mmCIF file of all heavy atoms in Angstrom:
data_model
loop_
_atom_site.group_PDB
_atom_site.id
_atom_site.type_symbol
_atom_site.label_atom_id
_atom_site.label_comp_id
_atom_site.label_asym_id
_atom_site.label_seq_id
_atom_site.Cartn_x
_atom_site.Cartn_y
_atom_site.Cartn_z
ATOM 1 N N CYS A 520 -6.135 -33.884 -3.967
ATOM 2 C CA CYS A 520 -7.218 -34.403 -3.201
ATOM 3 C C CYS A 520 -7.734 -35.597 -3.770
ATOM 4 O O CYS A 520 -7.999 -35.614 -5.135
ATOM 5 C CB CYS A 520 -8.238 -33.376 -3.052
ATOM 6 S SG CYS A 520 -7.783 -31.834 -2.204
ATOM 7 N N ALA A 521 -7.973 -36.672 -3.005
ATOM 8 C CA ALA A 521 -8.425 -37.863 -3.617
ATOM 9 C C ALA A 521 -9.469 -38.542 -2.712
ATOM 10 O O ALA A 521 -9.473 -38.384 -1.508
ATOM 11 C CB ALA A 521 -7.334 -38.882 -3.789
ATOM 12 N N GLY A 522 -10.352 -39.275 -3.334
ATOM 13 C CA GLY A 522 -11.332 -40.151 -2.665
ATOM 14 C C GLY A 522 -10.729 -41.448 -2.104
ATOM 15 O O GLY A 522 -9.717 -41.957 -2.703
ATOM 16 N N GLY A 523 -11.192 -41.967 -1.061
ATOM 17 C CA GLY A 523 -10.649 -43.144 -0.520
ATOM 18 C C GLY A 523 -11.131 -44.458 -0.973
ATOM 19 O O GLY A 523 -10.380 -45.324 -1.647
ATOM 20 N N ARG A 524 -12.479 -44.689 -1.020
ATOM 21 C CA ARG A 524 -12.949 -45.993 -1.386
ATOM 22 C C ARG A 524 -14.216 -46.075 -2.280
ATOM 23 O O ARG A 524 -14.626 -47.051 -2.571
ATOM 24 C CB ARG A 524 -13.150 -46.751 -0.131
ATOM 25 C CG ARG A 524 -12.183 -46.898 0.920
ATOM 26 C CD ARG A 524 -12.377 -47.723 1.924
ATOM 27 N NE ARG A 524 -12.515 -49.135 1.750
ATOM 28 C CZ ARG A 524 -12.631 -50.212 2.575
ATOM 29 N NH1 ARG A 524 -12.780 -49.905 3.874
ATOM 30 N NH2 ARG A 524 -12.642 -51.375 2.286
ATOM 31 N N GLY A 525 -14.605 -44.848 -2.580
ATOM 32 C CA GLY A 525 -15.883 -44.921 -3.548
ATOM 33 C C GLY A 525 -16.084 -43.569 -4.233
ATOM 34 O O GLY A 525 -15.510 -42.614 -3.988
ATOM 35 N N GLU A 526 -17.182 -43.637 -5.070
ATOM 36 C CA GLU A 526 -17.606 -42.375 -5.650
ATOM 37 C C GLU A 526 -18.051 -41.246 -4.760
ATOM 38 O O GLU A 526 -17.927 -40.144 -4.934
ATOM 39 C CB GLU A 526 -18.744 -42.589 -6.606
ATOM 40 C CG GLU A 526 -18.479 -43.529 -7.762
ATOM 41 C CD GLU A 526 -18.629 -44.997 -7.398
ATOM 42 O OE1 GLU A 526 -18.801 -45.314 -6.172
ATOM 43 O OE2 GLU A 526 -18.528 -45.929 -8.365
ATOM 44 N N LEU A 527 -18.689 -41.567 -3.500
ATOM 45 C CA LEU A 527 -19.069 -40.563 -2.645
ATOM 46 C C LEU A 527 -17.784 -39.950 -2.033
ATOM 47 O O LEU A 527 -17.678 -38.599 -1.712
ATOM 48 C CB LEU A 527 -19.957 -41.117 -1.579
ATOM 49 C CG LEU A 527 -21.210 -41.764 -2.095
ATOM 50 C CD1 LEU A 527 -22.093 -42.244 -0.799
ATOM 51 C CD2 LEU A 527 -22.056 -40.633 -2.684
ATOM 52 N N ASP A 528 -16.780 -40.754 -1.774
ATOM 53 C CA ASP A 528 -15.521 -40.120 -1.336
ATOM 54 C C ASP A 528 -14.882 -39.158 -2.280
ATOM 55 O O ASP A 528 -14.246 -38.108 -1.959
ATOM 56 C CB ASP A 528 -14.484 -41.243 -0.959
ATOM 57 C CG ASP A 528 -14.930 -42.008 0.203
ATOM 58 O OD1 ASP A 528 -15.639 -41.466 1.027
ATOM 59 O OD2 ASP A 528 -14.568 -43.255 0.314
ATOM 60 N N ASP A 529 -14.980 -39.498 -3.657
ATOM 61 C CA ASP A 529 -14.550 -38.631 -4.695
ATOM 62 C C ASP A 529 -15.244 -37.179 -4.676
ATOM 63 O O ASP A 529 -14.599 -36.264 -4.818
ATOM 64 C CB ASP A 529 -14.705 -39.242 -6.017
ATOM 65 C CG ASP A 529 -13.697 -40.410 -6.300
ATOM 66 O OD1 ASP A 529 -12.803 -40.520 -5.442
ATOM 67 O OD2 ASP A 529 -14.013 -41.269 -7.150
ATOM 68 N N ALA A 530 -16.603 -37.341 -4.362
ATOM 69 C CA ALA A 530 -17.301 -36.039 -4.334
ATOM 70 C C ALA A 530 -16.892 -35.238 -3.121
ATOM 71 O O ALA A 530 -16.778 -33.995 -3.314
ATOM 72 C CB ALA A 530 -18.889 -36.452 -4.194
ATOM 73 N N ALA A 531 -16.677 -35.979 -1.965
ATOM 74 C CA ALA A 531 -16.148 -35.146 -0.820
ATOM 75 C C ALA A 531 -14.653 -34.436 -1.117
ATOM 76 O O ALA A 531 -14.475 -33.358 -0.696
ATOM 77 C CB ALA A 531 -16.049 -36.078 0.351
ATOM 78 N N ALA A 532 -13.931 -35.259 -1.908
ATOM 79 C CA ALA A 532 -12.544 -34.741 -2.216
ATOM 80 C C ALA A 532 -12.724 -33.603 -3.138
ATOM 81 O O ALA A 532 -11.910 -32.574 -3.108
ATOM 82 C CB ALA A 532 -11.833 -35.814 -2.863
ATOM 83 N N ALA A 533 -13.662 -33.578 -4.075
ATOM 84 C CA ALA A 533 -13.907 -32.325 -4.945
ATOM 85 C C ALA A 533 -14.281 -31.261 -4.213
ATOM 86 O O ALA A 533 -13.893 -30.068 -4.491
ATOM 87 C CB ALA A 533 -14.980 -32.739 -6.032
ATOM 88 N N MET A 534 -15.174 -31.310 -3.077
ATOM 89 C CA MET A 534 -15.480 -30.219 -2.380
ATOM 90 C C MET A 534 -14.330 -29.563 -1.553
ATOM 91 O O MET A 534 -14.116 -28.400 -1.600
ATOM 92 C CB MET A 534 -16.591 -30.579 -1.354
ATOM 93 C CG MET A 534 -17.882 -31.054 -2.055
ATOM 94 S SD MET A 534 -19.031 -31.701 -0.849
ATOM 95 C CE MET A 534 -20.359 -32.232 -1.934
ATOM 96 N N LEU A 535 -13.470 -30.476 -1.061
ATOM 97 C CA LEU A 535 -12.219 -30.003 -0.326
ATOM 98 C C LEU A 535 -11.257 -29.300 -1.345
ATOM 99 O O LEU A 535 -10.650 -28.304 -1.031
ATOM 100 C CB LEU A 535 -11.514 -31.195 0.315
ATOM 101 C CG LEU A 535 -10.191 -30.922 0.978
ATOM 102 C CD1 LEU A 535 -10.317 -29.972 2.106
ATOM 103 C CD2 LEU A 535 -9.609 -32.288 1.485
ATOM 104 N N ALA A 536 -11.230 -29.884 -2.452
ATOM 105 C CA ALA A 536 -10.393 -29.279 -3.634
ATOM 106 C C ALA A 536 -10.857 -27.855 -3.825
ATOM 107 O O ALA A 536 -9.929 -26.974 -4.036
ATOM 108 C CB ALA A 536 -10.309 -30.081 -4.806
ATOM 109 N N GLN A 537 -12.143 -27.588 -3.985
ATOM 110 C CA GLN A 537 -12.604 -26.277 -4.371
ATOM 111 C C GLN A 537 -12.354 -25.259 -3.256
ATOM 112 O O GLN A 537 -12.006 -24.124 -3.502
ATOM 113 C CB GLN A 537 -14.203 -26.430 -4.641
ATOM 114 C CG GLN A 537 -14.627 -25.067 -5.240
ATOM 115 C CD GLN A 537 -16.094 -25.381 -5.727
ATOM 116 O OE1 GLN A 537 -17.023 -25.391 -4.981
ATOM 117 N NE2 GLN A 537 -16.386 -25.363 -7.069
ATOM 118 N N VAL A 538 -12.548 -25.740 -1.957
ATOM 119 C CA VAL A 538 -12.118 -24.765 -0.858
ATOM 120 C C VAL A 538 -10.653 -24.494 -0.820
ATOM 121 O O VAL A 538 -10.260 -23.335 -0.567
ATOM 122 C CB VAL A 538 -12.494 -25.525 0.441
ATOM 123 C CG1 VAL A 538 -12.098 -24.663 1.629
ATOM 124 C CG2 VAL A 538 -14.031 -25.696 0.589
ATOM 125 N N LEU A 539 -9.803 -25.385 -1.157
ATOM 126 C CA LEU A 539 -8.281 -25.171 -1.095
ATOM 127 C C LEU A 539 -8.077 -24.223 -2.293
ATOM 128 O O LEU A 539 -7.094 -23.379 -2.169
ATOM 129 C CB LEU A 539 -7.546 -26.502 -1.350
ATOM 130 C CG LEU A 539 -7.604 -27.537 -0.227
ATOM 131 C CD1 LEU A 539 -7.006 -28.749 -0.456
ATOM 132 C CD2 LEU A 539 -7.006 -26.876 1.029
ATOM 133 N N GLU A 540 -8.787 -24.305 -3.409
ATOM 134 C CA GLU A 540 -8.507 -23.356 -4.539
ATOM 135 C C GLU A 540 -8.864 -21.936 -4.053
ATOM 136 O O GLU A 540 -8.209 -20.996 -4.562
ATOM 137 C CB GLU A 540 -9.300 -23.748 -5.780
ATOM 138 C CG GLU A 540 -8.746 -24.986 -6.390
ATOM 139 C CD GLU A 540 -9.673 -25.501 -7.590
ATOM 140 O OE1 GLU A 540 -10.778 -24.938 -7.689
ATOM 141 O OE2 GLU A 540 -9.185 -26.387 -8.395
ATOM 142 N N VAL A 541 -9.994 -21.836 -3.352
ATOM 143 C CA VAL A 541 -10.334 -20.440 -2.851
ATOM 144 C C VAL A 541 -9.265 -19.886 -1.945
ATOM 145 O O VAL A 541 -8.892 -18.690 -1.930
ATOM 146 C CB VAL A 541 -11.705 -20.631 -1.960
ATOM 147 C CG1 VAL A 541 -11.931 -19.285 -1.227
ATOM 148 C CG2 VAL A 541 -12.824 -21.131 -2.919
ATOM 149 N N GLN A 542 -8.504 -20.752 -1.270
ATOM 150 C CA GLN A 542 -7.398 -20.258 -0.331
ATOM 151 C C GLN A 542 -6.122 -19.932 -1.127
ATOM 152 O O GLN A 542 -5.193 -19.650 -0.529
ATOM 153 C CB GLN A 542 -7.168 -21.286 0.722
ATOM 154 C CG GLN A 542 -8.214 -21.598 1.762
ATOM 155 C CD GLN A 542 -8.656 -20.184 2.381
ATOM 156 O OE1 GLN A 542 -9.859 -19.809 2.229
ATOM 157 N NE2 GLN A 542 -7.832 -19.537 3.145
ATOM 158 N N GLY A 543 -6.141 -20.388 -2.393
ATOM 159 C CA GLY A 543 -4.986 -19.868 -3.323
ATOM 160 C C GLY A 543 -4.084 -21.063 -3.623
ATOM 161 O O GLY A 543 -2.965 -20.754 -4.215
#
């Protein structure tokens, strides 16, 4: 999971990564 163009995109990518970890 990666952010596209800025720090806020990185934060959104971290949230997606945590949800994917919950799914295994």
Side-chain angles (χ1 to χ4, degrees):
C520 298
R524 305 186 69 173
E526 294 88 351
L527 297 179
D528 293 333
D529 288 346
M534 297 174 184
L535 174 60
Q537 194 171 70
V538 175
L539 292 174
E540 288 177 347
V541 171
Q542 295 304 115

